[in-house]
Amino acid sequence: SRGGGMSQAGGSCHCGAVRFSVPVPETATECNCSICRRYGALWAYYPVGEVVFEPPAPATGTYMWDDRSLAFHRCRACGCVTHWSPVNRTEDRMGVNARLLDPAVLAGVRIRHLDGAVTERYLD
């Protein structure tokens, strides 16, 4: 876990069927690629083991596109995009949709802007 004593934040989809706990993020990324801008997601990135789901294997549907290296998960009940996970299990990075965290948690988070549509570079 990052920083040892870092506080945790809980998030959930709209209906609560998918719940998770993560360290409070320092930054979150808003990406303008074709899928992220449609999802309206705000990604917080973590090593896979730092994201704890309740239930441990939530009922999500997945969608993959392009090189099929990421699986985008959404709640099967309410449809909220909850996270993405790497398809290659040796990758140790995933993203959770920080918009599912309490707005008070996000108030102190630096939002970075990624030009995923063209340059793959942060604009800030």
Side-chain angles (χ1 to χ4, degrees), residues 49-98:
E50 285 191 1
V51 180
V52 178
F53 287 98
E54 183 61 40
T60 60
T62 60
Y63 174 71
M64 291 186 286
W65 68 290
D66 197 24
D67 64 2
R68 302 180 69 79
S69 64
L70 302 177
F72 290 90
H73 295 254
R74 68 191 170 284
C75 174
R76 288 190 181 181
C78 68
C80 286
V81 174
T82 56
H83 64 288
W84 63 257
S85 62
V87 172
N88 180 344
R89 298 294 182 194
T90 64
E91 297 290 324
D92 189 32
R93 182 175 182 233
M94 67 180 295
V96 298
N97 186 355

Side-chain angles (χ1 to χ4, degrees), residues 1-123:
S1 172
R2 285 187 261 167
M6 185 171 276
S7 62
Q8 295 285 305
S12 73
C13 62
H14 190 258
C15 73
V18 180
R19 296 179 309 280
F20 60 88
S21 177
V22 293
V24 173
E26 292 178 17
T27 64
T29 298
E30 187 170 71
C31 177
N32 67 353
C33 79
S34 62
I35 196 163
C36 291
R37 70 181 171 82
R38 285 176 171 87
Y39 282 160
L42 186 62
W43 300 114
Y45 304 116
Y46 298 96
V48 173
E50 285 191 1
V51 180
V52 178
F53 287 98
E54 183 61 40
T60 60
T62 60
Y63 174 71
M64 291 186 286
W65 68 290
D66 197 24
D67 64 2
R68 302 180 69 79
S69 64
L70 302 177
F72 290 90
H73 295 254
R74 68 191 170 284
C75 174
R76 288 190 181 181
C78 68
C80 286
V81 174
T82 56
H83 64 288
W84 63 257
S85 62
V87 172
N88 180 344
R89 298 294 182 194
T90 64
E91 297 290 324
D92 189 32
R93 182 175 182 233
M94 67 180 295
V96 298
N97 186 355
R99 294 203 193 279
L100 304 182
L101 298 172
D102 188 289
V105 170
L106 287 181
V109 175
R110 178 178 168 225
I111 308 300
R112 302 206 58 208
H113 299 277
L114 177 66
D115 181 15
V118 180
T119 66
E120 292 291 329
R121 294 185 179 170
Y122 283 95
L123 301 174

